[in-house]
Amino acid sequence: MPESDEHVFLSKAALHIMESASKSRLFGYTEGQRKRFDFSCDLKKDWSKVISGQTLWGHGGDGIDKDLRTLLHDEDIAAAVYIARHESRNRSRLAEVTQDYLRTMPKSLSRLRVFWVPADFDADDEKSRRTVHNLLKEEITKDLLLQVALGGLTSADVTRFASSRRPGLPLEILSQVKRAGYRSHRHTAKALDVNLNALQFETERLFIIGFLKSDSPQGGIYSVTDSGNAMLDICSRLRDYLHGSLGDGNTNEDFEHICKLLGIDYPSISITEPLLIGDDKRNIEDPTALLLQHVAQADADGAVEWPEPYFNLPSASEISTAS
């Protein structure tokens, strides 16, 4: 049976949204082969996370069992995406099927992300296409990309991180742990040339926020979590902004969209505003201003190894074709 125009549009829209988000330079994007799925892609950095999905539109829920079985039984998929027509029979059937997986394969079910599309969506109508694309962009970015590509980073995490009263130090700790590990409080305090008590307090804050992890519930030998790495990447792009080098005209719409979902309204802060310790005009009630102060102070201190923007490397086949 040929795919409907709506089915084709929704599958392509999912890929377009994820490819566009990669222009934030926080991760890379490679489209995958469809094989058994309606769409598939690989998000890359110093990790590789496959996202595959199915689109449910025209078969009235009859194929939900098969679609979920195809998605959830593939252990290589980091996130299984289901884009479905919002109808009561579809929701009812999906609830029945997922209840079975909840009993038998709860870990696999946790990878499932379902995005509902209004049942009256018409792919032949430009306004309808634009509305649905924007709806999916908001939901896929917030509920999928932040979870998968940015390690579950939330706006609350960002606010707690920015609220530290020691500008720059939390970033310096994250960078030091990522670069050299964390042997002990004393060793790390010496490496960063900071007060031992301050180092211990900020390290424990980062552990509580979830940016550092340890094999011991009480802490100890720490490593940086996925969300901690994402925070470093975001702060590195914010440093680019403060240097006026974020992109053409010092703008990057896809990075800005991700930041706004995290409560970071960096364009509201002029790159000429005073941000370093001792400057009196910073707004201590604005999480964005506080976060940019952390970035500016860590940059001035010179103790952070800032992650470079992520660009996809060409594949071997692309290189040979170009030659």
Side-chain angles (χ1 to χ4, degrees), residues 36-37 55 112 140 147 152 161 201 212 214 229 233 259 265 281 283 303 321:
R36 296 170 297 160
F37 307 109
T55 301
L112 180 65
I140 287 177
Q147 290 296 319
F161 177 80
F201 181 84
L212 292 178
S214 173
N229 276 310
D233 290 334
C259 280
D265 184 20
K281 296 182 180 179
N283 184 353
T321 301

Side-chain angles (χ1 to χ4, degrees), residues 46 85 97 131 144 146 160 166 176 185 220 227 244 251 290:
D46 47 2
R85 186 171 186 162
V97 176
T131 299
L144 176 63
L146 294 189
R160 286 193 287 266
R166 298 178 176 87
Q176 173 67 16
H185 292 314
S227 59
T251 61
L290 293 175

Side-chain angles (χ1 to χ4, degrees), residues 229-248:
N229 276 310
M231 192 74 253
L232 269 175
D233 290 334
I234 287 171
C235 286
S236 189
R237 302 290 70 75
L238 292 176
R239 173 177 174 263
D240 292 340
Y241 170 72
L242 293 177
H243 283 246
S245 59
L246 184 60
D248 290 340

Side-chain angles (χ1 to χ4, degrees), residues 111-132:
R111 296 185 281 121
L112 180 65
R113 300 285 190 278
V114 182
F115 301 103
W116 296 102
V117 175
D120 61 354
F121 167 56
D122 180 3
D124 293 327
D125 181 75
E126 182 180 352
K127 182 178 179 181
S128 184
R129 289 198 306 270
R130 186 167 58 250
T131 299
V132 166

Side-chain angles (χ1 to χ4, degrees), residues 188-220:
T188 305
K190 183 177 180 181
L192 292 175
D193 191 24
V194 297
N195 176 271
L196 177 61
N197 290 333
L199 181 285
Q200 184 171 350
F201 181 84
E202 293 298 335
T203 299
E204 290 173 353
R205 282 189 81 253
L206 290 170
F207 177 64
I208 292 169
I209 293 171
F211 288 174
L212 292 178
K213 62 183 177 181
S214 173
D215 292 337
S216 168
Q218 286 76 38

